[in-house]
Amino acid sequence: MNFTVYLAGQIHDNWREEVIRKAEELNLPLTFVSPMTNHSRSDGIGEEILGEQPTKVMKDDKASDFNNLRTEMLMAKADVVLAFFGESYKQWNTAMDASTALAKNKPLILVRDESLHHALKELSNKATVTVENFDQAIKALSYVFETE
């Protein structure tokens, strides 16, 4: 049995590699998918496909069309969504993806430091589980495969 995990969250650092490495160390049968993690490509995909846009707002709007297509398709195929809320960046994409997962009735593992408890309390209460770090998230995923 192999599950697909959608890794939702900011794309400015390598947190996804840490999650994937931890899962591989336990030989978990997981496939990981995510938003486009190349920030420049994510921001420029609208113009890459449609050509130069007349304003920065139109450039952002067209890029988000294609990024939303990617998210919708990959999340639809995912068995579970792991949404990471870090402290370094504005987290609107993470909130959007977590809300989309809930709307699609996808199991949601919310990863957030205890310091973000108050800011995320409502979303945390809607998530399937909330954990404070990647080790706990991987243990939650590992538990799904345990028989005893």
Side-chain angles (χ1 to χ4, degrees):
M1 177 178 357
N2 188 4
F3 289 120
T4 299
V5 180
Y6 185 89
L7 297 174
Q10 58 86 9
I11 62 172
H12 300 285
D13 60 32
N14 63 352
W15 68 268
R16 286 176 179 83
E17 287 78 15
E18 181 181 348
V19 170
I20 292 167
R21 180 183 47 76
K22 289 176 182 293
E24 287 174 347
E25 287 172 359
L26 295 175
N27 293 317
L28 296 178
L30 301 171
T31 300
F32 294 94
V33 295
S34 69
M36 171 55 65
T37 58
N38 178 324
H39 193 238
S40 296
R41 182 123 196 264
S42 175
D43 282 353
I45 192 64
E47 288 189 329
E48 181 181 319
I49 293 172
L50 299 174
E52 187 175 344
Q53 297 299 301
T55 67
K56 183 174 178 359
V57 170
M58 289 297 296
K59 177 183 176 182
D60 284 347
D61 184 62
K62 294 307 172 192
S64 84
D65 287 345
F66 293 104
N67 286 312
N68 284 336
L69 172 68
R70 179 186 175 102
T71 298
E72 286 289 324
M73 292 181 72
L74 293 177
M75 197 178 287
K77 297 289 186 183
D79 298 294
V80 62
V81 174
L82 187 153
F84 170 56
F85 283 87
E87 296 186 44
S88 299
Y89 300 96
K90 295 175 183 170
Q91 301 291 315
W92 55 76
N93 287 342
T94 311
M96 177 84 167
D97 287 352
S99 297
T100 299
L102 291 169
K104 292 181 173 298
N105 293 314
K106 297 285 181 178
L108 174 63
I109 299 172
L110 188 72
V111 182
R112 56 100 182 111
D113 185 76
E114 183 181 0
S115 66
L116 297 174
H117 164 74
H118 184 74
L120 296 170
K121 64 186 178 296
E122 285 84 5
L123 187 56
S124 182
N125 282 332
K126 297 271 187 186
T128 310
V129 295
T130 298
V131 298
E132 294 180 358
N133 58 55
F134 299 132
D135 287 329
Q136 292 172 343
I138 292 300
K139 286 179 184 177
L141 290 168
S142 178
Y143 180 68
V144 172
F145 298 101
E146 293 178 15
T147 58
E148 296 181 5

